[in-house]
Amino acid sequence: MDPAIRSRWRQEVVNTEQWERHLDQARPVRSGEAGGFLVHSAQTGLIGYLKPLKSRGRYSRSAYEKIASDLAYEIGVNVPPVVLYRRPDAQSPQPREVSISFAWGGATPWGDLFDIGAADGGVQPPALAALIRRLVAASCGVMALDAWLRNTDRNNPGNAVLAYAGEDDPGQVFYVDFANAMDFDGHWSAGNHQTFQRLPVPPLLAACAVRKRVEEAAQRIADLPDAVVADIVGRIPEDFLAAAVREQLLEWLVWRKQRLVPAWGQWYAGK
Amino acid sequence: VRSNLMGVRYTICTYYPDLARPALAYDFAVLAASPQGIALVGVNVADAYGLQERHPLAKAIAEQTFQIVVRRIQRSLQHPGPHACLDVLDRIVEGNLSNIQYRSIAEAEGDDAEVTADRVFREIRQKAEAVPPGDGARKVLRFSQGLNGTISGTTTENDHGGTEVREASVQSYDPASQDVDQQLRERPMMAKPLVLRLDEADRRAVAGGMPAYVAYGLRYSATKLVQSATVMYPGLRRVGRLREGYAFCGRLQQAYGNEGEAMSPPDGMVYVVYVDPDGYVFDWDWVQEERHHPGYPIDTELRFMGDPVAPAPEAVLVGVEDLAPARPFDPRQAHPSPRGDCIFCYFREEFAFADRIDNDLTVFRSRATGEPTGFKIKNVERMLEEGRIQLAAPDLDVEVQAFLLASLLRNPNSKIEVYSILIGAWMRQIGHTGPPKIRVPRAGSVCSTRA
């Protein structure tokens, strides 16, 4: 994707452009756990995916998405750029504080095109299967990010997107949805932040993963200066994530960052 | 809060080749749910529209649009709730970052999801007329919910590229002998239809005060006509960008009135859809048919610059399937079309046909009485360039009447009575304190202001 856009979204925290519903997408009667919809910026014309449509108490989904995206940018892992946004038209009980993930002209959830529960993806024809394997392998550094952030929801047909910007763009896999990561369920608050675990990983990702790439991503995480993590977490506004929660989260992330490589055997699920 | 109406809820599944360009969209399936069951009726976009995507991922999606929705249904069925079938519909549409999107959920009477899905899909297909003949591509997927909350069905065909359809029924649809199906079977299949659209400015005009039959004419008649035109004529003007425009002409079995109701077409008339060089439809009218040339309009040598192309290339008009009047008819409003380089004015809402007066003026006449109901002024940009409309300064409001008179100056052989009748009829409208005005901005294209 355009590096300039990615860099700009990384620098930005709360976007103040006017974001409008992009398509005549169905508006469900009962919004789901993490429902969202496509939007476009009236100023720039860029499109994005706005969510959530449901609040979750002190663990802000939108803040989690922003933090994960910015951290991914710093370590070179494929997560779409994210900005925070205050919806002027949010209808109660929908939260006003949301996140917008950058969206491409061409996008499809990986579970739409193949079976992530199968090591070979069950893809036909062979040329497409090979392309899928290459794209997944190239993006497997996400396994290290997921381990660091304790993302429990990667084995989900909707949580990675095959994105392409046009005919000349071969495409990339971008990993989305960090709502069920970090302390979303109070697991770290309960004293478990020092625990690394083998998280649910789709067999396709495990089969395509290149160990060296994941190791390199884990090392980049370990090498990430604490100050960068502190800046990413600390600049989240109070209405998106309370200061006390931010401080605690930062402490956990810095600790886990340093322990990620030594704990390799506890979390790596690839070959 | 779920609606208390315990009928059927449905959504139309739409494929967008490029989410950044939403004007290009293909409706390919209808997903319906009732408390008792779920049904999906649809096609694969690549088959139905002849869509040939070049990117391998886009190609894979276009070839599997139906199956992709099937997979989404299957995933949603893994965690059924107390209202499992209706929950599935909600769950599928609630979050979706994909080129396959869903239109707003609608409700229908009845209790059979499949009947609803089938009916709505037929309506879509009749509008688009884009499903090729003999393809057998139309598929039906059914799930039914038992009294104990389980969802089951019978598998009669596995058509999903290695993905088993569990507890479901997927079968080729046996098309009923409807007229549209017959027409489709008789049409030659084109490799890739021409995709036509409606400019946003024209969309606002059509929905914002024009007679309702104009909106329904575009939504129903124009979409059909471009699929089944007898002839296409290139060259709408002698000079300017519309020299590269074109028009589709042909007969239609039905016309549509101000309530969107179907009715018989005007006797001896053909329908004409005008398109600019970029593929934007900007005008559509009933026009008198050439007596000895079925499907062709009269005065083709005056109307068009190029030679006829018959049969007309296959085309599909997208993005107007939901078009409807958003505001009541407003006779005080003029409706400029920058795409069409013309201005539309209507002073009565009666269903009308188009009567070409000269190069610059077309009068709309009531089907019932033949009386004028409005008019269209063409070559607006040229009138401005020629100084026919004298502007003291840019950004001035100019009375449409001035354009009308300018067109008379440009066409001295036209009868002055026509212009007199138009202006008189216009001014007699109740509550009409003055003729509509057009603002001419510095850029040159026109926009409307109310009198």
Side-chain angles (χ1 to χ4, degrees), chain A residues 131 164 166-169, chain B residues 15 17 51-60 62-63 192:
Chain A
L131 172 63
Y164 47 96
E167 288 181 9
D168 298 331
D169 178 8
Chain B
Y15 173 69
L51 192 62
Q52 296 179 343
E53 297 278 21
R54 292 183 183 174
H55 195 288
L57 293 175
K59 183 172 185 290
E63 290 174 348
K192 189 172 185 178

Side-chain angles (χ1 to χ4, degrees), chain B residues 29-74:
Chain B
V30 177
L31 174 61
S34 72
Q36 290 79 37
I38 306 164
L40 178 71
V41 176
V43 293
N44 286 320
V45 164
D47 297 335
Y49 291 92
L51 192 62
Q52 296 179 343
E53 297 278 21
R54 292 183 183 174
H55 195 288
L57 293 175
K59 183 172 185 290
I61 298 166
E63 290 174 348
Q64 300 182 53
T65 47
F66 185 87
Q67 287 90 335
I68 285 171
V69 179
V70 170
R71 290 191 187 110
R72 292 180 182 181
I73 296 171
Q74 289 179 284

